[in-house]
Amino acid sequence: MNEASSDTRTNPAVTDGRRAKGERRRRALIEATVRVIARDGAAGVTHRTVAREAELPTTATTYYFSSIDALLTAALTQCMEEDSARIEALAAGPGDSAGKRRSLALLMARILTPPGHLLAEFELCLQAARRPEQRAATRRWQEALAAFAREFTDSPLRVKLFTQAYDGLLLQALLADEPPTADEFEELLRELLPDPGGRRPV
């Protein structure tokens, strides 16, 4: 082995570059998986369809993900992490309770137009319902919703009510002929999470 080859193998910059490239490819495959599910449903996910969507060789999917279940788990995990981060940012951000509730209503309306990504998330969650090993990905999401609710109430029952109702509101919105507006979502959220110490409008 010559000296140049040895330097290449031990060069941290080269190693970091390869790692970064690998992470980009892995993320591209996960994002492609979500797009395939949004378009064709979870049944449309194969190594070949995901690779084609990501514009990568099929060998890339089998290199980074040993099975379709591994690919679906990674997609669910990324979706839940991204959704959780948005909710956590709203809870920790500036503003009073009314402002945070309004921001959440705006977010709910926005993710419904178009609804493809949200449809994919619900399909992934249904996959997790059949596969207990995938459910860990949803825990941070439930914790993020609970943390948002605790900005309004100390009642464990009301926190639980909100965390269970939130996804239901979005699912019903997907089934509606016309998606609810942010104002309509805000009205529902006001019932679930009234202002601390305040009276709910009649």
Side-chain angles (χ1 to χ4, degrees):
M1 182 184 300
N2 60 38
E3 185 176 349
S5 297
S6 177
D7 288 346
T8 299
R9 288 194 174 195
T10 59
N11 189 331
V14 172
T15 302
D16 290 346
R18 288 174 178 166
R19 185 180 295 114
K21 180 181 178 181
E23 284 301 313
R24 286 195 300 271
R25 281 194 158 199
R26 186 177 187 278
R27 185 175 183 86
L29 290 166
I30 293 172
E31 291 173 349
T33 300
V34 176
R35 292 196 300 273
V36 169
I37 298 172
R39 185 182 64 239
D40 303 324
V45 175
T46 67
H47 286 297
R48 186 179 300 277
T49 58
V50 169
R52 186 185 303 121
E53 181 70 24
E55 299 182 348
L56 290 171
T58 303
T59 52
T61 58
T62 55
Y63 177 81
Y64 292 103
F65 301 99
S66 60
S67 66
I68 296 301
D69 278 354
L71 192 53
L72 293 173
T73 298
L76 176 61
T77 300
Q78 179 166 300
C79 286
M80 293 296 96
E81 288 180 351
E82 290 174 350
D83 289 351
S84 298
R86 282 192 287 267
I87 297 294
E88 289 163 356
L90 288 181
D96 59 10
S97 58
K100 291 180 180 182
R101 190 171 51 222
R102 178 63 180 175
S103 294
L104 182 58
L106 289 168
L107 173 63
M108 294 172 76
R110 186 166 66 249
I111 61 180
L112 282 163
T113 51
H117 193 281
L118 185 61
L119 277 169
E121 289 191 18
F122 273 114
E123 286 219 36
L124 286 165
C125 285
L126 287 175
Q127 292 281 323
R130 294 179 179 274
R131 296 176 172 85
E133 68 277 8
Q134 293 182 356
R135 295 177 194 169
T138 66
R139 289 175 191 150
R140 181 182 170 188
W141 170 239
Q142 292 297 312
E143 291 167 0
L145 289 174
F148 186 89
R150 284 192 287 268
E151 292 289 313
F152 295 80
T153 179
D154 295 324
S155 166
L157 179 60
R158 189 167 286 279
V159 169
K160 186 175 182 180
L161 175 65
F162 171 74
T163 58
Q164 296 190 2
Y166 180 86
D167 287 329
L169 291 177
L170 289 175
L171 180 58
Q172 289 299 316
L174 285 173
L175 296 171
D177 292 332
E178 291 291 334
T181 65
D183 289 342
E184 290 170 324
F185 275 129
E186 187 175 12
E187 184 178 8
L188 295 169
L189 292 173
R190 193 179 294 114
E191 288 297 311
L192 289 169
L193 298 174
D195 292 328
R199 295 178 59 190
R200 286 179 293 177
V202 177

